[in-house]
Amino acid sequence: MAKKTTPMALLCGYLGAGKTTLLNNVLTNQKGYKVAVIVNDIGEVNVDAKLIADGAKITDTSSIVPLTNGCICCTLKTDLVNNIENIIRSGNYDYILIEASGVCEPMPIAQSLEQVSNGKLDNVIGVVDAARLVDEFASGENLLKKDIGEEDIESLLVQQIEFCSTLVINKKDLVTEEQFKKVRAVINAIHPGVKIIETSRGEVPVEDMLATGSFDFETVYASAGWCKHLEEDEIDNDEHEDHEHERHHHEHEDHEHEGHHHHEHRHEGESEDEYGIGTFIYYRRIPFDRQKLDSFASRWPRNIIRCKGLMWFADEPEMAWVFETSGRQIQAGYSGQWIAACPPAEQKKILAENPKIKEEWDNKVGDRMIKLCVIGQNLDKKAISAELDKCLAD
């Protein structure tokens, strides 16, 4: 007889977004669930654990497990898994709620939670502060700040919005109706179709948080705005004349994603809503020059909220890279090997099994490409494309 799995929910959001308030609201109205809580704080004293106990009026704090002096998305991964498995073995709880530190990216934690024995990740809940989103994305004012301590905030916010199955927009009462519409426009660009709950003081129905069955790693990963736009392949006909195909391995720690995409020419190369939040696809079959791209990265346009996709460098033609920006954080990492760089026998086998790849194969570069989804506000597509073109290898 198969052992019963214990559902888990991961609660993420930047500092001050309202995670603890939301968590307290759930704990004071558990509706029959016996919920264990794991709280992660990067300080020596876990302030959140006390706030949760006090806020939810919990006198028996044995259900609250604090993890301190580290981050559960990196240094405390093993501790997190061990603690959860101990809770499951105790048989005292039928649901586990994990509140991540405000500086955690959700995807690495979700990967760890998927390794928990007899546990199932049921929901990843992102919490965002509406007022902060207005300041840092919709109005763009804070994107121009140069405070060193603020550099990665935009990146974290994007990651926390992008990788969740439920998104709670908190503190709605602190923004105007027009500002809130801009917030929704930004979120729709970053994570179209995500389930959104609007609230002012972290008041969310328990049934929207627990036992939702809404999380699936592959679905959530692929639902990010940049992924959807690359899949839809909105490329302007004026930019190229060749059909193309991509096949590569996306590696995110231990989790692997493979992409097989049929690309078609379309005329709708870009899209923009009434608030100026828009997207476009930058697509070329010429590699980047590493030094030129690095130089442009130092003056990357501030109004680009998110940019992600595939690329390759002239000095390393066999390897595919994932290029990624969010806020002012810009990075690139290996994604795998292009089919065109595989041994002839393997290449022949792949092409035989995938006729569309063969049909769209470029005679010169094979499946190699630069294909980036750019999301931002008031984007000048021609100017950005021209700057990226200057980064191409001669």
Side-chain angles (χ1 to χ4, degrees):
M1 181 176 175
K3 290 186 178 180
K4 181 182 177 182
T5 58
T6 301
M8 304 172 286
L10 173 63
L11 185 61
C12 293
Y14 194 67
L15 303 167
K19 299 189 302 297
T20 301
T21 302
L22 186 149
L23 189 52
N24 283 337
N25 287 335
V26 171
L27 293 178
T28 53
N29 186 23
Q30 295 185 34
K31 292 192 176 180
Y33 291 104
K34 294 180 180 178
V35 181
V37 178
I38 294 179
V39 188
N40 180 211
D41 198 312
I42 57 174
E44 291 183 7
V45 178
N46 200 316
V47 177
D48 279 353
K50 185 178 187 310
L51 289 175
I52 289 168
D54 292 346
K57 298 179 174 57
I58 294 174
T59 53
D60 178 7
T61 58
S62 60
S63 64
I64 302 175
V65 180
L67 294 179
T68 58
N69 281 332
C71 173
I72 57 176
C73 66
C74 41
T75 57
L76 293 180
K77 280 183 179 180
T78 303
D79 289 350
L80 173 65
V81 172
N82 288 342
N83 272 281
I84 291 174
E85 291 181 344
N86 287 337
I87 290 171
I88 292 173
R89 279 194 292 270
S90 75
N92 295 328
Y93 303 96
D94 50 25
Y95 205 97
I96 300 172
L97 191 54
I98 302 107
E99 181 194 1
S101 160
V103 296
C104 282
E105 294 179 7
M107 189 170 75
I109 308 173
Q111 290 171 328
S112 295
L113 294 177
E114 290 209 319
Q115 307 305 313
V116 172
S117 298
N118 299 317
K120 176 175 174 53
L121 186 52
D122 172 67
N123 198 5
V124 174
I125 306 150
V127 186
V128 295
D129 177 338
R132 185 159 213 156
L133 278 185
V134 167
D135 289 338
E136 296 186 14
F137 288 114
S139 72
E141 292 172 2
N142 284 8
L143 292 177
L144 301 177
K145 285 186 176 181
K146 296 184 179 179
D147 306 272
I148 293 175
E150 296 282 294
E151 280 187 357
D152 292 337
I153 290 177
E154 297 90 346
S155 174
L156 277 169
L157 287 172
V158 168
Q159 301 287 347
Q160 290 166 354
I161 292 169
E162 202 171 61
F163 193 84
C164 63
S165 42
T166 302
L167 183 63
V168 177
I169 307 178
N170 198 22
K171 306 185 184 181
K172 183 180 179 181
D173 56 322
L174 300 182
V175 299
T176 67
E177 185 177 345
E178 188 67 15
Q179 287 174 327
F180 193 78
K181 288 180 180 178
K182 291 182 180 179
V183 167
R184 291 295 299 258
V186 171
I187 289 171
N188 187 57
I190 296 173
H191 195 164
V194 66
K195 178 181 178 180
I196 293 176
I197 300 171
E198 303 171 6
T199 184
S200 293
R201 296 173 184 83
E203 297 169 352
V204 177
V206 172
E207 56 268 25
D208 288 331
M209 301 274 289
L210 309 184
T212 65
S214 60
F215 182 81
D216 175 78
F217 197 106
E218 298 291 341
T219 301
V220 170
Y221 177 83
S223 64
W226 67 272
C227 262
K228 280 192 173 295
H229 288 297
L230 287 185
E231 288 285 346
E232 290 165 1
D233 201 14
E234 295 180 347
I235 302 173
D236 195 328
N237 258 341
D238 294 337
E239 292 184 1
H240 64 94
E241 295 180 356
D242 298 319
H243 287 280
E244 25 71 19
H245 184 94
E246 70 180 77
R247 179 191 185 276
H248 58 284
H249 297 285
H250 301 285
E251 294 180 359
H252 297 276
E253 297 185 12
D254 346 56
H255 212 94
E256 186 179 85
H257 309 270
E258 293 186 6
H260 295 269
H261 308 303
H262 180 189
H263 305 299
E264 298 175 355
H265 295 292
R266 300 182 184 178
H267 291 283
E268 60 272 26
E270 55 190 310
S271 61
E272 189 172 289
D273 75 356
E274 61 181 309
Y275 300 105
I277 307 297
T279 66
F280 72 88
I281 302 296
Y282 176 81
Y283 169 77
R284 300 289 186 268
R285 300 300 288 260
I286 303 170
F288 278 132
D289 178 286
R290 198 182 297 262
Q291 292 183 336
K292 291 178 182 178
L293 184 62
D294 185 61
S295 176
F296 179 50
S298 66
R299 46 191 172 83
W300 192 256
R302 300 281 186 174
N303 60 331
I304 294 178
I305 296 171
R306 185 72 157 128
C307 177
K308 190 168 183 178
L310 279 178
M311 66 170 187
W312 95 101
F313 289 116
D315 63 342
E316 199 173 11
E318 70 280 4
M319 296 303 298
W321 289 68
V322 170
F323 178 80
E324 179 173 4
T325 79
S326 45
R328 285 168 294 200
Q329 189 174 33
I330 299 174
Q331 59 189 5
Y334 285 123
S335 177
Q337 192 177 48
W338 297 108
I339 296 172
C342 294
E346 183 180 349
Q347 192 177 118
K348 183 178 179 181
K349 182 175 182 293
I350 293 171
L351 292 176
E353 293 173 351
N354 298 274
K356 289 192 180 298
I357 301 180
K358 186 175 182 179
E359 178 186 335
E360 300 173 356
W361 190 265
D362 184 276
N363 291 330
K364 185 176 181 181
V365 300
D367 58 329
R368 298 181 182 92
M369 68 179 67
I370 296 171
K371 190 176 183 187
L372 305 176
C373 174
V374 183
I375 303 173
Q377 185 177 36
N378 300 322
L379 297 171
D380 186 334
K381 177 187 174 183
K382 289 185 178 179
I384 294 171
S385 296
E387 289 291 342
L388 287 169
D389 284 346
K390 292 177 184 177
C391 301
L392 297 174
D394 297 328

